[in-house]
Amino acid sequence: MTWTQVLATLVLAAFVTQAAISVTTVYLHRGLAHRAITVTSPVAIVCRSIIWVTTGMKPREWAAVHRKHHAATDTADDPHSPIVHGFWRVQLANAALYRRAARNELTQHKYGKDLTADWLDKVLFDRAFLGLGVGVTAAIGVSMLLGFGPWVGLAAATLHMVSYLMLSGAINAVGHLYGTRPYATSATNLPWVALLTGGVGLHNTHPAAPTSARFSLHKGEFDPGWLIIRTLAFFRLATIRHHEVKFKRAAA
Ligand SMILES: [Zn+2]
Ligand SMILES: [Zn+2]
């Protein structure tokens, strides 16, 4: 690989990871799991397609596992608590812990009753390996189209997977142990994690006001996900549930 190809791999992987992270925080997290925003049908299809080809995850499963995380944060029932499972297990094997909770039918039954599969899920989006196959093929195609050859696309797809898994792990592991706690929740705020994860690094503030579409509630905080939501709302592609912040937990 030449230095140009290495650079192209890094840029392509960063782009794909940030696209996946943005859809995770805006659509899966704030939209489906917390109903803090509602997006139009075309936006939902675009989001579902991006999640399908970049992660292979099922949105309804993600939302149910996440609601369980909120309901049982840092207790034995939390699907991915570093207090219960240890820092390194959550940081490195977050996906395995997620899969275990997602496969448990009780999780979906208790936390995802309102989220059912439609015909598109049955035909397309529930087929994880097909989605990932389409994603890898698309990465190779784009890389060849740009003149970097197939290996850059394949390397970028691999690097994206590792980055997405490590950033998701960091939210659940680092974001429950290190950082500030302005509110009485066990998670933590870390600005550098927030910057890399579409705002989810403001992980202490979020459970204090879970239906707030905006996570950056203090001066100096930046929530990239909120910027995307504001842009979608400006073009009438998304509706924000409420603009005033409704706190569930008090300041610490
Ligand atoms: Zn949440
Ligand atoms: Zn958390």
Side-chain angles (χ1 to χ4, degrees):
M1 254 195 188
T2 64
W3 283 111
T4 314
Q5 286 175 316
V6 170
L7 192 66
T9 303
L10 293 174
V11 171
L12 192 58
F15 177 79
V16 176
T17 297
Q18 281 309 311
I21 290 271
S22 299
V23 176
T24 303
T25 186
V26 170
Y27 176 68
L28 296 184
H29 190 194
R30 305 182 212 198
L32 284 191
H34 295 293
R35 304 284 189 205
I37 63 159
T38 312
V39 297
T40 60
S41 300
V43 173
I45 296 288
V46 170
C47 290
R48 289 164 73 187
S49 305
I50 292 174
I51 282 298
W52 184 52
V53 300
T54 58
T55 72
M57 294 190 304
K58 296 176 188 171
R60 62 185 184 284
E61 284 186 355
W62 192 98
V65 172
H66 184 71
R67 286 172 182 174
K68 187 175 186 187
H69 171 55
H70 271 264
T73 310
D74 290 326
T75 70
D77 286 334
D78 188 338
H80 42 63
S81 165
I83 314 291
V84 177
H85 300 287
F87 174 83
W88 287 111
R89 191 160 169 219
V90 177
Q91 176 60 54
L92 300 177
N94 182 59
L97 293 168
Y98 167 84
R99 285 303 315 150
R100 193 167 69 178
R103 281 197 184 131
N104 184 342
E105 279 180 20
L106 276 177
T107 308
Q108 202 65 37
H109 182 73
K110 192 169 177 190
Y111 297 99
K113 262 188 185 157
D114 56 320
L115 304 161
T116 48
D118 65 8
W119 69 273
L120 267 174
D121 289 313
K122 286 168 191 158
V123 173
L124 220 55
F125 297 133
D126 279 0
R127 299 172 199 275
F129 287 108
L130 178 63
L132 291 172
V134 170
V136 173
T137 309
I140 292 171
V142 167
S143 169
M144 288 175 75
L145 214 63
L146 295 172
F148 296 117
W151 293 109
V152 166
L154 193 63
T158 309
L159 185 59
H160 149 65
M161 276 299 168
V162 175
S163 313
Y164 186 84
L165 291 173
M166 287 306 105
L167 285 172
S168 307
I171 292 162
N172 295 333
V174 181
H176 277 255
L177 293 174
Y178 308 103
T180 58
R181 289 186 173 91
Y183 297 97
T185 72
S186 63
T188 56
N189 281 351
L190 269 173
W192 67 270
V193 177
L195 209 59
L196 293 172
T197 57
V200 194
L202 298 168
H203 206 60
N204 171 269
T205 304
H206 163 58
T211 58
S212 169
R214 180 181 189 165
F215 291 177
S216 54
L217 303 181
H218 305 102
K219 228 179 165 185
E221 289 176 346
F222 180 56
D223 171 12
W226 176 238
L227 197 66
I228 296 169
I229 290 168
R230 287 287 299 273
T231 308
L232 288 172
F234 179 80
F235 290 107
R236 296 180 188 279
L237 295 168
T239 312
I240 296 162
R241 182 159 150 193
H242 52 73
H243 281 274
E244 74 282 14
V245 182
K246 294 181 179 173
F247 282 103
K248 199 178 145 192
R249 305 266 178 86

